[in-house]
Amino acid sequence: MATASIKPWIAQKIEDRFGGFRQQANRIDPTLPRKLDQERTVAVIGGGIAGFTAAIELARRGYTVSLFERNTYLGGKLGSWQETIGQGDDAQDVWVDHGFHAFFRHYYNFNRLLDSLDLRKGFIPIDDYMIIEQSGQRLGFKDVDTTPILNMISMAQKGLFSWKDLIFSPAMRKLDPFLRYDPGRTFANFDDTSFEDFDRQAKLPTQLRLAFNTFSRAFFSDADRMSLAELIKSFHFYYLGHDHGLLYDYPTGNYQDTILGPMVEHLTQHGASIHTGQGVDTIERDEDGFRVHGQRFDRVVLATDVVGTRAILSNCPWIHEHPAWADRITRLRPAQRYAVWRVWMDRDMGHGLPHFISTERFNALDSVTFYHHYEKDCRDWAQKSGGGIYELHSYALPDHLVEPEAIRQALLADLVQ
Ligand SMILES: Cc1cc2nc3c(=O)[nH]c(=O)nc-3n(C[C@H](O)[C@H](O)[C@H](O)COP(=O)(O)OP(=O)(O)OC[C@H]3O[C@@H](n4cnc5c(N)ncnc54)[C@H](O)[C@@H]3O)c2cc1C
């Protein structure tokens, strides 16, 4: 009773101490106009969610926007396109997404964008953040306290570590940097150390290691390739830096209908033009501005992935006038390869589980999404057929898995286990 009544008071004190968990990253000059007072054009290169965000913001501020996307579909890693499933009379066109996404509640800027278009009304919350271990045991984060620091105590209560073991293990001293994220210092000290090396020295408790390994792969990196600094940063961003907890929301329809279609409509209403299937190889620059596909622009936004950005800039001789920037781009590396496989099966599994689960992988499988339990079209299909639709993700494919068939076999074998 006493603990229950004192908890909100402690939570409030913690929140006060950390300034409501929000730190302003950019100082905005309120005297500057929000809208342009002269005509300006901008090319946004890359039609993923970063490109859409830039395009919408700039179009709202009066820019004439042209969005260039290499793929024939929009959305990048949040993309959606149509596929035909079944054969003969059973053939049917269905929308598939690039992969299930969790929309966390502390994505303040992105959520503000979605709210400005009234898009989050169709989202539902996941009922648990769950990892299924190889043994079949389930590790759920549902009831973990949402207040930072108190959520660390909850982790102990969930069995992720025991205070007794931790206090007497090398991990205690080693874990200190995890609790003190500082952009400069953390990267200077830990960017050259992998999480695996750190774990070898710190001898983390088994459950805590499992949670961090899963977490590491969610960023497309196995533990031996994950920068410890990145992991610490992400731990603060996702766990210690806000009071929304690990639960998240997601749409109940495909991304085309629920997110991308309305965004395209909004952009078009603001006079933007959208060019799919138009990869950009280079950006020319002269005193008059920039040229993309022969068209002149006042400004260019590069919203491409690492590989795309490096490829475009390697064809731009003017980048050498900006050596520090060129050096940063050259040093960027893509994350590991990933795989997403959506499977239509003759059976319905996964009842009693959240719609999305992480798994302690055997070979390749890192998560399973039970689409037929919540996505509108998939539910309809499952009801008619009695089957189920599953999406299997591998976020960091083992190097030896290259051929699609070998990847599918590995994912399926893990799912069966
Ligand atoms: C399977 C999977 C699951 C994920 N789950 C989550 C999740 O649960 N929660 C979460 O927060 N994040 C998740 N992510 C990460 C998230 O999808 C990405 O962080 C985000 O979508 C990146 O958006 P972006 O616009 O920066 O890049 P991208 O989506 O990669 O978009 C870049 C775009 O640039 C285009 N492009 C590249 N080169 C060129 C060129 N030369 N000319 C024109 N266009 C070009 C590409 O085709 C692409 O469309 C997941 C990612 C994957 C793959």
Side-chain angles (χ1 to χ4, degrees):
M1 204 47 198
T3 326
S5 58
I6 202 169
K7 231 163 137 196
W9 181 81
I10 298 175
Q12 189 58 52
K13 286 286 158 211
I14 294 171
E15 181 164 352
D16 292 347
R17 167 69 183 78
F18 292 106
F21 310 120
R22 293 187 190 207
Q23 308 288 335
Q24 191 171 353
N26 298 320
R27 300 268 159 236
I28 296 161
D29 182 349
T31 62
L32 291 175
R34 280 192 70 80
K35 281 200 95 162
L36 287 178
D37 53 8
Q38 55 180 312
E39 201 175 303
R40 284 216 180 268
T41 53
V42 60
V44 175
I45 307 176
I49 216 64
F52 266 98
T53 308
I56 290 174
E57 191 62 40
L58 291 170
R60 285 175 175 171
R61 289 177 182 228
Y63 277 87
T64 305
V65 176
S66 299
L67 179 73
F68 295 95
E69 167 53 48
R70 181 186 51 196
N71 290 330
T72 50
Y73 62 89
L74 288 163
K77 296 189 184 76
L78 203 78
S80 233
W81 61 87
Q82 280 192 301
E83 297 270 356
T84 305
I85 57 159
Q87 285 169 345
D89 290 344
D90 289 337
Q92 176 186 354
D93 287 338
V94 295
W95 283 96
V96 290
D97 298 331
H98 191 98
F100 175 86
H101 273 64
F103 295 78
F104 286 92
R105 293 181 191 162
H106 65 287
Y107 289 2
Y108 302 117
N109 294 328
F110 189 52
N111 286 336
R112 201 176 305 127
L113 173 70
L114 293 174
D115 285 340
S116 74
L117 295 164
D118 204 17
L119 298 182
R120 278 206 297 166
K121 61 179 184 308
F123 282 37
I124 54 169
I126 193 96
D127 52 0
D128 196 357
Y129 185 103
M130 186 181 281
I131 305 174
I132 303 214
E133 299 177 28
Q134 285 186 355
S135 63
Q137 197 168 323
R138 299 171 184 189
L139 190 60
F141 288 79
K142 182 183 188 166
D143 310 317
V144 163
D145 207 302
T146 56
T147 307
I149 302 180
L150 299 183
N151 60 6
M152 289 295 290
I153 297 169
S154 292
M155 275 170 110
Q157 286 164 344
K158 287 264 159 203
L160 277 160
F161 59 85
S162 93
W163 291 110
K164 192 164 85 8
D165 290 351
L166 208 60
I167 285 164
F168 294 111
S169 88
M172 189 63 188
R173 254 180 310 116
K174 296 274 180 189
L175 274 177
D176 189 54
F178 263 84
L179 303 177
R180 296 172 197 276
Y181 174 66
D182 171 87
R185 231 172 315 128
T186 304
F187 275 84
N189 293 339
F190 300 112
D191 201 26
D192 292 330
T193 307
S194 72
F195 173 62
E196 189 181 68
D197 282 343
F198 166 80
D199 177 34
R200 204 174 294 126
Q201 292 169 23
K203 299 191 174 36
L204 292 181
T206 313
Q207 297 277 62
L208 200 57
R209 176 182 310 123
L210 165 66
F212 277 123
N213 272 337
T214 309
F215 194 53
S216 168
R217 273 205 290 270
F219 300 103
F220 306 95
S221 266
D222 278 317
D224 61 335
R225 295 176 224 189
M226 182 63 165
S227 141
L228 182 59
E230 280 289 343
L231 196 72
I232 295 173
K233 182 186 79 179
S234 303
F235 185 52
H236 278 254
F237 182 67
Y238 280 91
Y239 202 65
L240 281 184
H242 62 85
D243 62 350
H244 294 282
L246 272 179
L247 303 184
Y248 52 82
D249 306 304
Y250 50 105
T252 51
N254 64 63
Y255 295 146
Q256 173 61 27
D257 292 342
T258 56
I259 298 175
L260 301 166
M263 284 189 175
V264 167
E265 201 181 314
H266 185 74
L267 275 172
T268 314
Q269 280 164 2
H270 280 77
S273 57
I274 297 175
H275 312 271
T276 47
Q278 288 212 23
V280 172
D281 294 330
T282 184
I283 304 162
E284 292 166 47
R285 197 181 76 171
D286 55 31
E287 56 291 343
D288 191 30
F290 300 91
R291 268 172 210 286
V292 175
H293 281 301
Q295 210 180 323
R296 198 200 78 81
F297 294 96
D298 295 303
R299 299 278 188 267
V300 172
V301 173
L302 261 179
T304 39
D305 48 85
V306 170
V307 177
T309 304
R310 287 181 51 159
I312 295 171
L313 292 178
S314 69
N315 292 328
C316 298
W318 51 263
I319 191 180
H320 299 297
E321 295 164 27
H322 310 277
W325 188 48
D327 181 53
R328 269 175 49 208
I329 301 290
T330 315
R331 281 190 287 120
L332 283 176
R333 280 177 299 140
Q336 273 173 260
R337 297 169 309 132
Y338 62 87
V340 176
W341 186 27
R342 197 181 278 203
V343 199
W344 281 254
M345 287 197 192
D346 61 358
R347 66 203 62 190
D348 173 12
M349 304 181 283
H351 285 283
L353 289 173
H355 298 154
F356 173 89
I357 53 158
S358 293
T359 54
E360 179 183 14
R361 66 154 67 159
F362 290 97
N363 296 296
L365 184 70
D366 289 313
S367 75
V368 182
T369 314
F370 301 93
Y371 266 87
H372 57 290
H373 287 171
Y374 74 93
E375 208 254 17
K376 209 176 121 306
D377 296 340
C378 297
R379 274 167 70 151
D380 291 348
W381 180 87
Q383 253 162 22
K384 272 189 224 133
S385 66
I389 300 174
Y390 308 85
E391 196 174 84
L392 314 182
H393 291 187
S394 179
Y395 297 120
L397 274 172
D399 293 335
H400 71 273
L401 288 179
V402 178
E403 295 303 321
E405 188 49 31
I407 297 171
R408 283 194 283 264
Q409 290 303 330
L411 288 170
L412 196 58
D414 280 9
L415 179 70
V416 169
Q417 276 192 289

